[in-house]
Amino acid sequence: MLDFNALNASLVYPEDILHWAENAYHERLAVVTSFQITGIVTLHMMRELGLKVDVLTVDTELLFPETYDLMNRLQDTLKFNLIPVKAELNVSQQAAKYGDTLWSRDPDSCCQMRKVVPLDKALVGYDAWITGLRRDQSKTRSTIQAISWDKRNEKVKISPLVDWTEEMVWTYIHAYDLPYNPLHDKGYPTIGCWPCTQAVSDGGDLRAGRWVGTAKTECGIHL
Ligand code: SF4
């Protein structure tokens, strides 16, 4: 088992963490991103560093059109190997089996079927995965470490920009003129599936627009 305390103490900068991860895991390393702002910075840094690893994205088939468009633009710009991860049932099949709009009645089950289980299955082929988690995103993420053990998947989980702020991420995106989701400019700090994502008022919690009206704060991938 890795000495996570020692690693986290010695690897401070995202570029160093990414280099370490690629050296340690090579083709057994994947980036998992939903093309939020931190993921975009991570993908750009990896290209600048010449690091090539698979890029997994969970496509629930319920993403905003703007997200699909961004995905294509980033792939054209950054030239990564994109692997869409999909649920066993498409949305129509899910509706036939569990009823329409499961997300409004039982979002935990919907996320489990459309996000958590498909990603867990996709990660079987890897030993480590890179995420875009940051401590400033929510209370539930305020104590995460850059390099940690993902107990559910039994893999190393790496969050290179864990201690960056939202402002730092935006500064990077604008400095390199990187494409980003236009919904951010319409009041959406984070963007998931369209049925479960709303715009928030200025100054609101970064994840306040997700699963509004429920106690749910995470899809389950990062629990
Ligand atoms: Fe279903 Fe909403 Fe979860 Fe997407 S975010 S998988 S629509 S519950």
Side-chain angles (χ1 to χ4, degrees):
M1 177 67 81
L2 293 171
D3 183 341
F4 291 105
N5 287 335
L7 275 174
N8 283 305
S10 64
L11 297 169
V12 176
Y13 298 107
E15 292 89 343
D16 295 341
I17 295 169
L18 290 169
H19 264 307
W20 168 81
E22 206 273 342
N23 279 334
Y25 298 104
H26 306 286
E27 71 281 355
R28 304 284 296 173
L29 173 69
V31 174
V32 177
T33 181
S34 53
F35 303 100
Q36 313 282 332
I37 54 173
T38 318
I40 294 168
V41 171
T42 305
L43 292 172
H44 183 261
M45 274 184 183
M46 296 191 80
R47 195 198 65 169
E48 295 289 290
L49 295 168
L51 308 178
K52 289 187 181 167
V53 303
D54 290 342
V55 176
L56 309 185
T57 193
V58 177
D59 179 3
T60 60
E61 302 172 36
L62 292 161
L63 304 178
F64 287 92
E66 290 88 342
T67 304
Y68 289 109
D69 180 56
L70 174 66
M71 213 180 280
N72 292 331
R73 281 193 293 148
L74 283 167
Q75 200 179 10
D76 285 347
T77 308
L78 301 177
K79 312 284 184 210
F80 46 77
N81 180 32
L82 182 63
I83 302 174
V85 174
K86 295 199 178 194
E88 196 177 312
L89 302 180
N90 65 32
V91 175
S92 302
Q93 290 167 329
Q94 178 174 297
K97 191 164 180 184
Y98 298 99
D100 282 334
T101 65
L102 180 62
W103 47 84
S104 61
R105 290 175 285 110
D106 186 356
D108 283 341
S109 294
C110 187
C111 277
Q112 190 70 15
M113 276 187 273
R114 308 212 69 73
K115 292 186 171 188
V116 180
V117 170
L119 181 61
D120 287 355
K121 282 185 185 169
L123 284 173
V124 166
Y126 302 92
D127 292 333
W129 56 301
I130 295 172
T131 81
L133 297 180
R134 301 194 322 270
R135 292 193 194 106
D136 75 339
Q137 286 167 328
S138 67
K139 277 186 190 158
T140 56
R141 297 183 179 185
S142 62
T143 58
I144 54 179
Q145 295 295 311
I147 305 169
S148 63
W149 183 243
D150 165 15
K151 283 186 198 159
R152 192 180 68 243
N153 289 298
E154 299 192 319
K155 300 185 192 305
V156 173
K157 188 170 175 178
I158 301 156
S159 306
L161 284 92
V162 72
D163 59 1
W164 278 34
T165 62
E166 186 191 16
E167 187 181 357
M168 290 164 74
V169 177
W170 276 118
T171 299
Y172 185 105
I173 285 180
H174 292 313
Y176 287 98
D177 198 20
L178 298 176
Y180 63 87
N181 199 316
L183 292 173
H184 290 306
D185 294 333
K186 296 179 180 173
Y188 294 76
T190 69
I191 299 156
C193 298
W194 62 261
C196 302
T197 309
Q198 293 182 16
V200 301
S201 54
D202 279 350
D205 184 295
L206 289 179
R207 291 180 62 79
R210 308 291 287 276
W211 304 284
V212 174
T214 77
K216 187 173 171 67
T217 57
E218 296 279 351
C219 65
I221 284 174
H222 296 298
L223 293 178

